Amino acid sequence: MAPAGGTCKEVHEPYPAAADYSVVISKQETTSTPAKSSIFSPGQRGICSSAGVDALLECPVCTNFMYSPIYQCLNGHTLCSSCKIRVHNICPICRSELGDIRCLALEKVAESLELPCRYKNLGCREIFQYFSKPSHEQQCQFRPYNCPYAGSECSITGDIPMLVAHLREDHKVDMHNGCTFNHRYVKSNPQEVENATWMLTVFNCFGRQFCLHFEAFQLGMAPVYMAFLRFMGEEYEARKFSYSLEVGGNGRKLTWVGKPRSIRDGHRKVRDSQDGLIIQRSLALYFSGGDRQELKLRVAGNIWKEE
C-alpha cells in the first residue's frame, strides 16, 4: 500500500491450504469425583448448566459441546458425531471399537439445559436452550471479526480496535482520517495481471472505519477492475452510510454510488456480487491515456452518513 500518488504492488491471491484434521486427544478419562448437581429454579424454562454438566457434554476430542446424535463406546465414553468420523470409529479414551450406540440419557439432559452464549465475555448476555445455542452463535453480533485484509489469507480475529491496529502494524495498510479521498493507481504491463487484489487504505470517518479495496479479475471472459468499500462493523450499522466512487479521464467519467458492505462479508463475496465500481480494462486504459501500455487510474470517493 502506498500514500496517494504512490504505486501499489499487486498481491496475487493464494488458494487456501487444505485444513488439517488430525486428531489431538486433549482429555484423559475423568475420575470418579462427583460432578456438581444441576439446579432447578422457579420460573426457569430448563436446567441451569453447571461445571459438572458442562464437562459431561464436552467432546474429549474437539473439546466442543456435543449435540445430537451423541455416541458412546461399550465402556460408556462419549464423543460427538463429527469426531466419531475423525477418529475412524475408535474410542479415543479406551481404544475400543465404536458402534452406533447413542447416549440417549445425555441427549435428554442436553435438551433440558440453558446456556449462555460463548461470546458472553465479549458482551452477549443472551441465554439459550442447549440445541438453539449454535445457530445463535453463528450470527451473534458480539462474535469476533475476521481480519479484512484482502491481500492474503489472514487467520487473525478480534474486535474492531484490535483489527485496526493489526492492519496498520502487521499488514502496513495506510490509515487516513477523513471522509473524502483521491487515490492514484499505477501499474505497468496491466495485461499481465489477471487476478490480483489490493487493500489501499483504511478510512477513519464519523468515528468508524472503512476499508477501500481495488481488485483485478476476470468477469466472464472480460478482464475488469473493481473498487469497493467495506465497513468495519455490523451490516445494520453499515446501512447507515453511503459512499461514492469516481474514475475518469480523457473527458469521460464513471461513477458508482452505493452502501458499504460489512466486513462480515468477505472481500471475495463482495467482489463476486459485483457490488462496487466495475471498470473494464479497455475503458481503464482509455482513462489512462497515452499508448495504453500503462494503467494510470485516479479513484476519488466520498463517504457520508444517511440522516
Side-chain angles (χ1 to χ4, degrees):
M1 273 58 60
T7 301
C8 296
K9 296 180 180 179
E10 72 270 19
V11 181
H12 293 279
E13 294 179 293
Y15 290 100
D20 180 6
Y21 291 108
S22 58
V23 176
V24 177
I25 307 301
S26 59
K27 299 278 185 181
Q28 296 297 323
E29 184 172 358
T30 55
T31 63
S32 58
T33 304
K36 291 182 182 178
S37 59
S38 299
I39 302 171
F40 290 90
S41 297
Q44 285 188 322
R45 294 190 301 269
I47 303 174
C48 281
S49 173
S50 69
V53 176
D54 288 358
L56 287 174
L57 289 167
E58 187 177 275
C59 174
V61 178
C62 65
T63 70
N64 294 323
F65 280 125
M66 296 182 288
Y67 296 90
S68 295
I70 299 173
Y71 290 98
Q72 66 178 12
C73 72
L74 293 174
N75 292 318
H77 304 127
T78 56
L79 79 167
C80 69
S81 57
S82 297
C83 289
K84 180 176 182 287
I85 299 171
R86 293 172 63 185
V87 299
H88 306 293
N89 224 35
I90 298 296
C91 176
I93 304 299
C94 65
R95 313 306 295 174
S96 64
E97 185 175 353
L98 288 165
D100 291 318
I101 305 172
R102 297 268 293 275
C103 187
L104 299 178
L106 197 53
E107 290 180 12
K108 275 291 186 184
V109 170
E111 287 177 2
S112 65
L113 289 181
E114 292 182 333
L115 296 171
C117 173
R118 68 186 297 182
Y119 304 118
K120 65 178 181 179
N121 293 335
L122 299 178
C124 186
R125 298 292 180 259
E126 299 290 335
I127 301 294
F128 298 92
Q129 294 286 343
Y130 186 81
F131 291 109
S132 64
K133 181 171 173 280
S135 59
H136 159 78
E137 290 173 347
Q138 290 176 1
Q139 302 296 325
C140 178
Q141 69 180 54
F142 293 97
R143 71 192 189 279
Y145 295 91
N146 295 323
C147 172
Y149 186 70
S152 63
E153 298 295 332
C154 182
S155 61
I156 296 295
T157 62
D159 60 16
I160 299 303
M162 178 267 185
L163 289 179
V164 170
H166 165 68
L167 289 169
R168 181 180 59 249
E169 297 166 10
D170 298 328
H171 293 298
K172 310 303 180 186
V173 172
D174 292 335
M175 300 287 162
H176 175 80
N177 290 320
C179 299
T180 59
F181 50 90
N182 196 330
H183 276 280
R184 188 165 181 254
Y185 173 69
V186 178
K187 179 71 178 76
S188 57
N189 301 320
Q191 290 81 5
E192 297 177 2
V193 180
E194 296 296 338
N195 189 24
T197 182
W198 302 267
M199 185 171 178
L200 299 182
T201 303
V202 170
F203 297 98
N204 184 19
C205 175
F206 296 107
R208 307 304 298 266
Q209 289 72 40
F210 301 80
C211 306
L212 175 64
H213 297 268
F214 191 81
E215 307 212 4
F217 62 101
Q218 292 283 133
L219 185 58
M221 298 298 292
V224 299
Y225 301 101
M226 180 175 172
F228 56 90
L229 211 62
R230 285 199 294 165
F231 173 75
M232 297 187 72
E234 294 297 314
E235 183 65 33
Y236 77 90
E237 297 176 292
R239 289 194 292 267
K240 299 175 183 177
F241 300 92
S242 294
Y243 74 102
S244 64
L245 294 174
E246 181 181 295
V247 64
N250 280 333
R252 306 291 191 276
K253 184 169 65 176
L254 193 62
T255 301
W256 162 268
V257 176
K259 298 281 187 182
R261 296 281 286 271
S262 166
I263 58 171
R264 294 290 190 197
D265 291 335
H267 75 98
R268 284 194 183 93
K269 181 177 180 180
V270 180
R271 182 190 70 184
D272 293 345
S273 68
Q274 302 174 37
D275 192 5
L277 175 64
I278 297 177
I279 315 140
Q280 291 191 355
R281 181 192 288 167
S282 57
L283 183 58
L285 292 175
Y286 176 78
F287 287 155
S288 301
D291 57 5
R292 302 193 180 190
Q293 297 304 307
E294 186 176 42
L295 186 68
K296 296 178 181 178
L297 279 183
R298 188 175 296 278
V299 179
N302 182 38
I303 305 168
W304 64 92
K305 193 171 185 179
E306 299 290 353
E307 296 299 333

